[in-house]
Amino acid sequence: MTTTFTAATTATTARNDAAAFLPQTEGRLPFTFRVAQDEGALAKAVRIRQAAYGRHVPELAKTLGEPESYDREPGAVILLAESKMDGEAVGTMRIQTNLRARLGVERSVLLPDWLQQQRLAEATRLGVSERKIGHVAKIALFKAYYQYCVETNVDWMITAARSPLDRGYEALMFQDVFPGQGFIPMQHIGNIAHRVMASDVAA
């Protein structure tokens, strides 16, 4: 797969311009990418998100049937992967930066000094299909997340992961933000314990 991206977007036009950062693929990927820029696309992202959370945290999933306020915050980008075969959503991810507001994770923890004054982006609400295609979509979503951060000069990628999903982030070169503390209850995610992790974009 060959990936190309255009010039960086500003925070105020992130949602409209984020499509420019999506990979222009050459190959046989069974899905396409786009940014959820209209209500129909956002609804598809919400459905795949709720279905994915329903397999692991059904109580939380009950609250995810509608778009969240975070989805419409300035600078929020909702990625949507759709099957080429039937157009069904097979994956989604929300990307937010700290250019205009605090990250979601900062509503639950105070980030350490080495992340203060840094340009940060957080991946949230990752959801993929339980079909085999979902695994491929997950990897591609993280590649798009990384490329978006490169092009927008983000210093660190942040995510909060519950067990056992945290092991997948380790494989993607994410490290503990709070070494030794393990999983921390996230007040903004129903007090579900998550491991806060970060990856150095430049590295």
Side-chain angles (χ1 to χ4, degrees), residues 6 26-27 66 96 102 150 152 154 174:
T6 60
E26 296 176 4
E66 299 292 335
Q96 294 170 281
R102 293 186 305 163
V150 169
T152 53
V154 165
F174 281 77

Side-chain angles (χ1 to χ4, degrees), residues 60 70 103-111 122 124-125 158-162 177-178 181-197:
L60 177 60
Y70 298 128
L103 300 178
V105 70
E106 293 183 277
R107 292 169 169 85
S108 295
V109 298
L110 177 65
L111 294 175
E122 182 182 13
T124 61
R125 291 297 184 249
I158 308 293
T159 191
R162 62 186 185 278
V177 170
F178 303 102
Q181 292 193 34
F183 293 86
I184 303 170
M186 297 284 110
Q187 295 180 9
H188 72 295
I189 318 178
N191 284 317
I192 298 173
H194 284 63
R195 183 177 168 193
V196 183
M197 307 178 77

Side-chain angles (χ1 to χ4, degrees), residues 80-166:
L80 179 64
E82 298 166 293
S83 168
K84 289 180 180 178
M85 180 177 296
D86 55 19
E88 287 298 310
V90 296
T92 185
M93 173 191 286
R94 182 172 64 216
I95 302 173
Q96 294 170 281
T97 72
N98 64 346
L99 298 181
R100 296 285 299 276
R102 293 186 305 163
L103 300 178
V105 70
E106 293 183 277
R107 292 169 169 85
S108 295
V109 298
L110 177 65
L111 294 175
D113 290 344
W114 56 274
L115 285 176
Q116 298 294 334
Q117 309 306 316
Q118 298 290 309
R119 191 164 181 165
L120 309 176
E122 182 182 13
T124 61
R125 291 297 184 249
L126 172 68
V128 297
S129 169
E130 61 182 338
R131 296 153 54 187
K132 186 176 181 179
I133 191 176
H135 175 72
V136 182
K138 179 180 178 180
I139 300 300
L141 283 165
F142 268 92
K143 183 172 184 179
Y145 175 33
Y146 166 71
Q147 293 284 9
Y148 180 84
C149 290
V150 169
E151 294 294 338
T152 53
N153 298 312
V154 165
D155 300 307
W156 287 87
M157 298 185 290
I158 308 293
T159 191
R162 62 186 185 278
S163 179
L165 300 181
D166 60 307

Side-chain angles (χ1 to χ4, degrees), residues 11-32:
T12 55
T13 59
R15 180 174 295 128
N16 289 335
D17 291 349
F21 296 99
L22 291 181
Q24 305 301 311
T25 59
E26 296 176 4
R28 299 180 181 177
L29 288 178
F31 50 80
T32 59

